[in-house]
């Protein structure tokens, strides 16, 4: 099914000088709608027959003219298989089968993918805020580093170079783990880079400013031990989780098309936290190196080997909160889940910092049981993440089954999109980058339909509905490219 079909009834008119493409195989002559799947009565223009000749709309919505159901806020939705409702084509696209949107194109040629970008202004605003926060955080990092170098008489500079050598190389392994786990719909590399840089520069810079101010203020009034305890157990958890969480919020609000649910919240939170931890480790390793190589070795084993995932664990609570808000259509969940996740992350962070700071040297007596408890906690959390990723794969498969019934996907293509090693198969096989793009488009289509279905249940409007048609068109074009390069 290389070309989206156009017909004579109920379709957008092609611009002057353009010819309508012929109907694809298996489609009704003169119509742009597919034959009804088994178990569905063929109605006007290929829709299931409802009362008065109109298609039956989603539950709770009034039926509208021309075979379309009336959706929330006056938007029209067409009825698809299994009760799914699909939105009509966005402006500038011709209506196709089951709510498909196709850009007009020359007959006999694959349709060029028309980039539909309804949230461009929002993304640009988010990019500006990200750049401003990043710049301000970088300036604060430089200022506090210079102050440390000056106070140490210059010795801190060489120590920080040693710290950087211990802090940054392990990131190759740390960053690889979440990228392996998120198999079905990996986040774009530039999003992950933005998350990492936010944690490394913005979150660290603002957190250093607040923690240092709290430490100085409390120490001057209640003594140095009180300053250490309050800054480590109160200020650090609240400030650090807040600024790392703001990075997750940025993707949730400004880049919603790249934020689908709990798994994405955890991935973005992990990359923010790993960036934060890397810069923080430079300071810890620098101070340890100034006390001797044995202290440096012990600090590296503790922070770099046993507990590199504690910061990701804490911030992932906020990521889960935003993920729940993204998946839910209930207003109270969308408001309460991010706040609850943030407070849980703060609590875990505070508990981890409190005992070592409060007990001091006495902590050595209970340190190993304490460490083992946290390691078990982190291992359990990784198990939960794997279960959530598997659930995401099920969601994608469930919302692509009707695409197979409609002829938009073949069964083999469905299996490729839903395979946990599908991207690897494309990389090592003949499909290459085009195959990976096909998988991503298929996953995005499924997740867009998922968000649209949940929005309809809550009688809400979602931008995800506007991407369904263009994504189907992108899949059709990518299939043409794959067929052209397939082995003969």
């Amino acid at each position: 099914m290389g070309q989206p079909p156009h017909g004579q009834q109920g379709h957008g008119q092609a611009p002057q000088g353009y010819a309508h493409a012929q109907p694809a195989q298996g489609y009704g002559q003169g119509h742009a709608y597919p034959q009804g799947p088994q178990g569905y009565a063929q109605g006007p223009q290929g829709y299931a027959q409802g009362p008065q000749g109109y298609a039956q709309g989603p539950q709770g919505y009034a039926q509208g003219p021309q075979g379309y159901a009336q959706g929330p806020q006056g938007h029209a939705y067409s009825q698809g298989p299994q009760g799914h409702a699909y939105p009509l084509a966005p402006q500038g696209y011709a209506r196709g089968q089951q709510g498909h949107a196709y850009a007009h194109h020359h007959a006999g040629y694959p349709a060029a993918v028309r980039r539909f970008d309804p949230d461009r202004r929002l993304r640009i605003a988010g990019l500006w805020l990200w750049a401003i926060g990043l710049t301000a955080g970088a300036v604060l990092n430089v200022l506090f580093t210079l102050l440390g170098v000056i106070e140490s008489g210059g010795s801190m500079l060489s120590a920080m170079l040693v710290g950087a050598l211990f802090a940054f190389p392990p990131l190759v392994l740390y960053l690889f783990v979440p990228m392996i786990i998120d198999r079905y719909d990996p986040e774009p590399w530039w999003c992950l880079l933005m998350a990492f840089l936010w944690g490394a520069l913005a979150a660290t810079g603002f957190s250093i400013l607040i923690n240092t101010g709290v430490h100085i203020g409390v120490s001057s009034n209640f003594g140095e031990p009180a300053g250490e305890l309050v800054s480590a157990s109160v200020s650090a958890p609240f400030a650090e989780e807040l600024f790392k969480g703001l990075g997750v919020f940025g993707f949730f609000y400004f880049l919603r098309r790249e934020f689908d649910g709990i798994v994405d919240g955890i991935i973005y939170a992990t990359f923010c936290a790993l960036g934060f931890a890397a810069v923080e480790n430079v300071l810890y390793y620098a101070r340890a190196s100034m006390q001797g190589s044995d202290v440096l070795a012990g600090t590296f084993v503790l922070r770099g080997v046993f507990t590199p995932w504690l910061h990701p664990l804490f911030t992932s609570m906020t990521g889960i909160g935003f993920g729940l808000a993204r998946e839910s259509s209930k207003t109270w969940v969308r408001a309460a889940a991010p706040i609850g996740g943030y407070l849980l992350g703060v609590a875990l962070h505070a508990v981890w910092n409190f005992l070592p700071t409060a007990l001091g040297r006495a902590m050595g007596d209970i340190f190993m049981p304490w460490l083992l408890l946290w390691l078990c906690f982190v291992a359990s959390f990784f198990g939960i993440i794997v279960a959530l990723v598997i659930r995401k794969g099920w969601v994608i498969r469930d919302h692509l089954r009707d695409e197979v019934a409609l002829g938009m996907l073949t069964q083999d293509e469905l299996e490729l999109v839903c395979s946990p090693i599908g991207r690897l198969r494309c990389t090592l096989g003949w499909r290459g980058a085009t195959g990976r793009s096909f998988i991503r488009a298929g996953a995005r289509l499924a997740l867009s339909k998922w968000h649209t279905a949940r929005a309809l249940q809550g009688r809400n409007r979602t931008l995800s509905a506007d991407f369904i048609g263009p994504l189907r068109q992108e899949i059709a074009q990518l299939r043409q490219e794959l067929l052209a390069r397939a082995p003969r």
Side-chain angles (χ1 to χ4, degrees), residues 18 47 72 96 117 140 219 259 272 350 359 400 419 445-446 484:
Y18 288 79
Y47 288 91
D117 197 359
L140 289 171
S219 297
F259 195 113
C272 283
L359 296 180
L400 288 181
S419 171
L445 172 60

Side-chain angles (χ1 to χ4, degrees), residues 433-488:
T434 305
R436 294 196 300 271
S437 297
F438 186 92
I439 291 175
R440 175 167 174 77
R444 298 306 311 157
L445 172 60
L447 294 171
S448 295
K449 290 169 65 176
W450 180 44
H451 288 306
T452 301
R454 289 184 295 104
L456 284 173
Q457 291 176 0
R459 297 175 181 266
N460 297 320
R461 170 68 175 156
T462 174
L463 281 175
S464 297
D466 298 326
F467 294 108
I468 293 176
L471 282 168
R472 282 171 169 151
Q473 182 194 4
E474 181 179 354
I475 289 173
Q477 179 176 339
L478 289 170
R479 178 187 290 110
Q480 292 294 321
E481 296 178 14
L482 288 172
L483 289 175
R485 64 187 299 176
R488 302 300 179 185

Side-chain angles (χ1 to χ4, degrees), residues 37-127:
Q38 186 177 4
Y40 292 87
Q42 186 72 21
Q45 301 181 351
Y47 288 91
Q49 184 69 34
Q52 301 177 0
Y54 298 128
Q56 183 65 37
Q59 185 177 4
Y61 296 108
Q63 296 163 1
Q66 300 178 0
Y68 296 108
Q70 189 69 24
Q73 303 178 13
H75 294 282
Y77 288 80
S78 62
Q79 179 72 7
Q82 302 177 4
H84 291 295
Y86 301 112
L88 298 185
Q91 186 177 5
Y93 289 85
R95 286 199 302 267
Q97 65 270 22
Q98 303 289 350
H100 297 230
Y102 295 108
H104 295 294
H105 57 282
H106 289 283
Y109 292 91
V113 176
R114 181 170 178 175
R115 295 296 179 186
F116 185 64
D117 197 359
D119 57 343
R120 181 173 180 271
R121 291 183 179 180
L122 190 65
R123 291 191 294 112
I124 291 176
L127 179 62

Side-chain angles (χ1 to χ4, degrees), residues 170-312:
L171 281 174
V172 176
L173 175 62
Y174 302 156
L175 295 175
F176 194 56
V177 172
M179 294 175 68
I180 291 178
I181 290 177
D182 191 14
R183 300 304 304 154
Y184 292 104
D185 180 39
E187 311 313 317
W189 67 266
W190 53 270
C191 285
L192 300 179
L193 179 61
M194 289 177 68
F196 180 84
L197 291 176
W198 178 268
L201 297 176
T204 54
F206 290 110
S207 296
I208 290 173
L209 177 64
I210 293 177
N211 292 340
T212 302
V214 170
H215 182 268
I216 293 174
V218 175
S219 297
S220 61
N221 289 282
F222 301 99
E224 182 66 22
E228 288 285 347
L229 182 62
V230 173
S231 63
S233 304
V234 180
S235 171
F238 276 97
E240 293 174 8
E241 297 310 318
L242 171 65
F243 289 109
K244 287 184 291 180
L246 283 177
V248 182
F249 168 76
F251 292 99
F252 169 80
Y253 185 76
F254 295 103
L255 285 172
R256 290 180 73 82
R257 69 170 72 178
E258 306 296 348
F259 195 113
D260 293 302
I262 298 174
V263 173
D264 291 357
I266 293 173
I267 295 298
Y268 289 129
T270 297
F271 272 76
C272 283
L274 287 174
F276 184 97
V279 173
E280 187 183 58
N281 282 343
V282 171
L283 298 176
Y284 274 95
Y285 296 155
R287 293 169 184 166
S289 68
M290 296 174 69
Q291 301 176 48
S293 59
D294 55 339
V295 178
L296 174 60
T299 304
F300 176 76
V301 169
L302 175 62
R303 297 186 64 86
V305 177
F306 285 114
T307 62
W309 299 105
L310 284 185
H311 268 293

